[in-house]
C-alpha cells in the first residue's frame, strides 16, 4: 500500500511539473505502443536522389533517403502497401556522419503506397506506380527443313527446338507493349546474327539458318526505353547431316 501511495503521488506530481510529460507517461502506462514526442520534422524525402518520383521501372530497387530537423531518433520506419494488399516494412537507419536516414527497398513489382515515420512526424502516403517491362506474349517458329529431307515445314510455339542441319527458322514474336527494337542474342560460339523487323509495333519477324547447336534469347526495348528482363535462354539442337551409306 505504501508503494502504491508513493506511486500515486509521483503520478500526480508529474502532471503539475509538465502536462506533456504526464500525458506521455499516461499513454505509455496504458499502451506499450505509445511514442514519446521528439519534435522531429521531416524536411526532405528522396527516391534514388529524386525529390519527385511517381513512376519506376518494374523490378528496380529504390534507395530512400530522409533528412529531418529537431530531435533525431536512431531509427525511422518505412511502411509499404501494394495495390494487391500485401504489406512490408523497412528500418530507416541514421548515418551519423551526414544525419541522413536511408533504406533500400527490394525490387518493386507492382504499384506501392509509401508512408514514412520518423520520431513523431509522418510523411505520406506517397503512391509510386510501376511501369511494366516489355514481355513476349507469343513466340511462333516456322521450321523449314532442307530439301534433302523431303519434309514439310512445321510450326512450333516454342523457343527450344530440334532441327535438321541447314534448316531455316522463321520467327513471329508478339509482345505486350509497343517496341522500338527486338534483338536476337546468341549465347553460343556461332555468333549468329539475324535482324528482326516490325510488322507492327507489337509484332516482330526474323529468320535464321542453322548449322550448329545454338543457345539464344531475345532482348526487347519498349517505346519508353525499358528493356526486357527474365526472357528465357532457349536451345536449338541441330541434327547433323550424315554422309550417305552405299551398300553393294
Amino acid at each position: 500500500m505504501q508503494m502504491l501511495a508513493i506511486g500515486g503521488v509521483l503520478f500526480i506530481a508529474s502532471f503539475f511539473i509538465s502536462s506533456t510529460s504526464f500525458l506521455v507517461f499516461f499513454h505509455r502506462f496504458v499502451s506499450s505502443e505509445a511514442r514519446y514526442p521528439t519534435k522531429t520534422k521531416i524536411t526532405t524525402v528522396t527516391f534514388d536522389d529524386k525529390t519527385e518520383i511517381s513512376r519506376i521501372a518494374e523490378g528496380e530497387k529504390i534507395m530512400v533517403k530522409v533528412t529531418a530537423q529537431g530531435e533525431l531518433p536512431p531509427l525511422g520506419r518505412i511502411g509499404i502497401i501494394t495495390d494487391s494488399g500485401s504489406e512490408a516494412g523497412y528500418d530507416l537507419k541514421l548515418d551519423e556522419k551526414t544525419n541522413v536516414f536511408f533504406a533500400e527497398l527490394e525490387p518493386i513489382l507492382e504499384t506501392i503506397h509509401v508512408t514514412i515515420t520518423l520520431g513523431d512526424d509522418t510523411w505520406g502516403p506517397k503512391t509510386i506506380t510501376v511501369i511494366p517491362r516489355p514481355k513476349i506474349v507469343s513466340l511462333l517458329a516456322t521450321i523449314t527443313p532442307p530439301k534433302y529431307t523431303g519434309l514439310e515445314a512445321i510450326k512450333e510455339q516454342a523457343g527450344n527446338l530440334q532441327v535438321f542441319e541447314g534448316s531455316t527458322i522463321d520467327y513471329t514474336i508478339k509482345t505486350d507493349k509497343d517496341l522500338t527494337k527486338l534483338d536476337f542474342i546468341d549465347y553460343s560460339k556461332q555468333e549468329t546474327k539475324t535482324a528482326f523487323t516490325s510488322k507492327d509495333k507489337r509484332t516482330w519477324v526474323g529468320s535464321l539458318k542453322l548449322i550448329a547447336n545454338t543457345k539464344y534469347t531475345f532482348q526487347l526495348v519498349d517505346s519508353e526505353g525499358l528493356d526486357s528482363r527474365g526472357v528465357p535462354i532457349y536451345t536449338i539442337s541441330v541434327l547433323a547431316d550424315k554422309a550417305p551409306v552405299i551398300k553393294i
Side-chain angles (χ1 to χ4, degrees), residues 103-236:
E104 186 176 56
L105 309 187
E106 291 300 313
I108 307 300
L109 302 178
E110 60 176 310
T111 294
I112 59 174
H113 310 279
V114 182
T115 301
I116 295 174
T117 303
L118 202 59
D120 50 10
D121 197 13
T122 300
W123 178 95
K126 167 76 172 180
T127 298
I128 299 178
T129 303
V130 167
I131 312 169
R133 292 184 179 275
K135 298 176 180 62
I136 292 176
V137 174
S138 67
L139 189 162
L140 177 64
T142 301
I143 305 167
T144 304
K147 289 184 179 180
Y148 72 83
T149 64
L151 299 174
E152 297 291 329
I154 60 172
K155 297 182 183 294
E156 296 280 356
Q157 292 184 330
N160 295 316
L161 305 167
Q162 187 175 65
V163 303
F164 286 101
E165 181 181 353
S167 294
T168 299
I169 303 177
D170 295 297
Y171 288 99
T172 300
I173 296 174
K174 294 184 179 294
T175 63
D176 66 341
K177 298 181 71 178
D178 292 354
L179 301 186
T180 58
K181 186 170 65 170
L182 188 150
D183 289 331
F184 177 90
I185 309 296
D186 185 5
Y187 284 107
S188 63
K189 296 181 179 179
Q190 304 304 314
E191 296 185 358
T192 304
K193 296 185 183 298
T194 183
F196 275 74
T197 57
S198 59
K199 295 179 67 175
D200 59 60
K201 291 183 178 180
R202 297 193 182 193
T203 305
W204 292 71
V205 294
S207 43
L208 64 152
K209 193 168 186 177
L210 274 300
I211 59 173
N213 295 339
T214 302
K215 284 189 176 183
Y216 70 101
T217 189
F218 300 101
Q219 184 74 47
L220 290 59
V221 180
D222 69 17
S223 56
E224 295 186 272
L226 292 182
D227 59 356
S228 56
R229 292 187 183 176
V231 179
I233 296 176
Y234 301 108
T235 300
I236 301 175

Side-chain angles (χ1 to χ4, degrees), residues 227-248:
D227 59 356
S228 56
R229 292 187 183 176
V231 179
I233 296 176
Y234 301 108
T235 300
I236 301 175
S237 298
V238 175
L239 303 176
D241 182 19
K242 296 182 180 179
V245 177
I246 300 176
K247 294 183 179 181
I248 300 175

Side-chain angles (χ1 to χ4, degrees), residues 49 63-68 72-76 91-104 118:
D49 294 325
M63 175 60 72
V64 181
K65 294 180 181 178
V66 179
T67 60
L72 302 182
L75 284 176
D91 285 336
L92 272 169
K93 299 178 182 179
L94 177 62
D95 183 342
E96 295 181 353
K97 294 181 180 179
T98 61
N99 278 345
V100 174
F101 293 86
F102 65 95
E104 186 176 56
L118 202 59

